Amino acid sequence: MGLIGLFRKKTVQDILKQVEKNNADGHNSLGKHLTARDLTAFGIAAIIGAGIFSTIGKASADGGPAVIFLFLFTAIACSFAAFAYAEFASMVPVSGSAYTYSYVAFGEIIAWIIGWALIMEYSVGNITVAISWSDYFTGLLESGGLNLPQWVQMDFLSASRGFDEATALMQSGKEFSKLSPALQDAFTAWSTSPAIGSFHFVADLPALLIIVLITALIYRGMKESRNASNIMVVVKVCIVLLVIAVGVFYVDTANWDPFAPNGVTGVLKGVSAVFFAYIGFDAISTTAEECKDPQRDLPRGMMWAIIICTILYIAIALVLTGMVNYSLLNVGDPLAFVFEKLDLKWMSGIIAVSAVVAMASVLLVFQMGQPRIWMSMSRDGLLPKRFSKIHPKFKTPSYATIVTGFVVAVPALFLNLTLVTDLTSIGTLFAFVLVCAGVLVLQNRTDIPRGKFKTPYVNSKFILPVLIIIGLVFAFGYNKKATMDFINNETQINSSEAIITSLNKEETQKVYAYLVRIDPKNSTDKTPDLELLLGQYHSDDTKYANVIAGLPIADSVKYESGFSLFKHKIPMWIFLFVLVGLVVWSFKSNLSLIPILGLISCLYLMAQLSVWNWIYFGIWLLIGLAVYFSFGRKHSKLNI
């Protein structure tokens, strides 16, 4: 079998016939319990979680009140993708989500790649949610007087990196008490943990606990999962509305000035955090075989979930940034923080309890999606048969559910929150891009049976070039300096924290002596805090640049230039080249506007993620290809 065999496709007719014959080889039918209301609730359960209770704080601190535009842009990007998902779900109403859709549109190898990428969305995403849940849960315990040791409530990677960073900052003169709470916790966790030689036992045990409980619930059945999800959705939506209703009376409009303190760059820094707040609506499509009327209800459930959650996100962002200055919101629990700051501790307690419930509901939806992806891949022969076995009593993919529990639980003990958030985002965006592209590939096919929902057609032939021209006018007219700096790969100055944490002891002493010499009144012999001394120049870009230029250290520490700077721009260059190709394709083939805008906006969000995320994602895909060529290709049902 040559390379052509890698792109062998399944037809919609064959897929639908396969569903009818599910009882063969132990592939019993899944129970049909879900309505449009249940699907909307699952979508809200997935979307309102870590985003609104955790990552919204960091995004607001970076972008200020203008972060609402990022929520709006991300919602629009997700809505474009949701149209594509809804059309496929109506056309192919089976479990499998983007994996199954890609099998129809592109062929087996692409379907495998997207199925492997979805593991990043559901399994790796659940690691993120479990870690966030653990943070809120341990905070709730502490407020009740029960303090767990730091080394059983923090992941290994955060503790290790935090210890190194805290040590570097203290070496530069910063007192332990003046370190951020996160660094203090990391230092304490690492230094107090049991150790065998150089290995420290640091593991997030509460994250393990919630994963075990949620996996057990999902194993028991869809009806039980649905009922639990609906209850948790009602609780957390009521809490979010309560936060808005109470918080609006404490809004000071002066906190909204400036509205975009860090400009477009600051707003876009929160891309990963804000996009992570939206992912999960596509998990609804994995429940297609458990819907009473999937062709009608799946599109409705997706759209209503996105609309409702976008309104809530924007309202919460405006209330938060109005209650306190945006710069104070870079905390892990922003909702509880703002009410505690205003001495409304009773609200902080309510929010902490609701956050624990909210995170659990997100975990439930994601943990429910992954086994159904594996079940679909197993049905096609790309994974061993046992992954598609359905429990005779509970009507759930039992083996795949247990494996998912292990895949999520073990890394949650050790992995860092930021790392898994970014990996989840890039895996999900990649899935969105391929689903949108799939709709474009199939739009003119007459041999495909269409479902009840079809994306409204608007010819993008001339509209897309006009939009590109408007973008170029903005880039070179209103944002010329940043655009030219990007094209010319202009040298950039590193942040004071990045510089200080890169110094050894001798360099630290030299830098401190230089800073005291240029400004003697800032001499602090007892605590020579370099971060404090350098940070005072941040408000004046010219002065900061002059101070950094005079530091008696290597330029490689002070600046980023050449390939070390260019490598971070590679994702954006990939986006720009693909954009040119899409304009040509659109002009030649009269492509539909909505899916092509979905493809472009999701690819743009991918380009905003760091090059390291692309590299890690590439490594993950290579591992997946090794699995495919060693097992899946040989055992595929299409390998006849």
Side-chain angles (χ1 to χ4, degrees), residues 488-491 560-570 573 611-612 615:
N488 297 325
N489 202 39
E490 285 291 328
T491 298
E560 194 168 26
S561 61
F563 182 74
S564 65
L565 176 61
F566 176 78
K567 68 186 178 187
H568 298 297
K569 300 177 180 179
I570 291 175
W573 280 112
V611 68
W612 295 113
I615 291 172

Side-chain angles (χ1 to χ4, degrees), residues 300-360:
R300 292 182 181 181
M302 287 182 190
M303 296 304 177
W304 276 115
I306 291 175
I307 292 169
I308 292 170
C309 293
T310 300
I311 294 170
L312 292 176
Y313 272 136
I314 290 175
I316 279 286
L318 286 173
V319 168
L320 285 181
T321 54
M323 291 175 72
V324 300
N325 186 276
Y326 72 93
S327 61
L328 302 175
L329 289 172
N330 189 12
V331 293
D333 52 350
L335 269 65
F337 169 79
V338 293
F339 285 101
E340 192 169 331
K341 189 83 174 171
L342 297 172
D343 203 26
L344 296 173
K345 294 186 179 178
W346 62 275
M347 275 294 293
S348 296
I350 292 174
I351 290 167
V353 173
S354 65
V356 169
V357 174
M359 301 292 184

Side-chain angles (χ1 to χ4, degrees), residues 50-51 54-56 58 120-132 135 157 269-279 366 415-429 605 609-610 613 616:
S54 180
T55 55
I56 193 174
K58 175 68 165 64
M120 275 198 166
E121 177 178 356
Y122 298 124
S123 295
V124 179
N126 251 356
I127 296 169
T128 307
V129 179
I131 294 171
S132 296
D135 290 342
L157 200 56
K269 279 184 72 175
V271 162
S272 180
V274 169
F275 180 74
F276 184 78
Y278 276 96
I279 65 173
F366 277 26
L415 288 186
N416 175 273
L417 181 63
T418 302
L419 175 64
V420 290
T421 300
D422 290 346
L423 287 175
T424 303
S425 294
I426 196 168
T428 307
L429 284 166
L605 290 173
L609 298 174
S610 78
N613 293 325
Y616 296 147

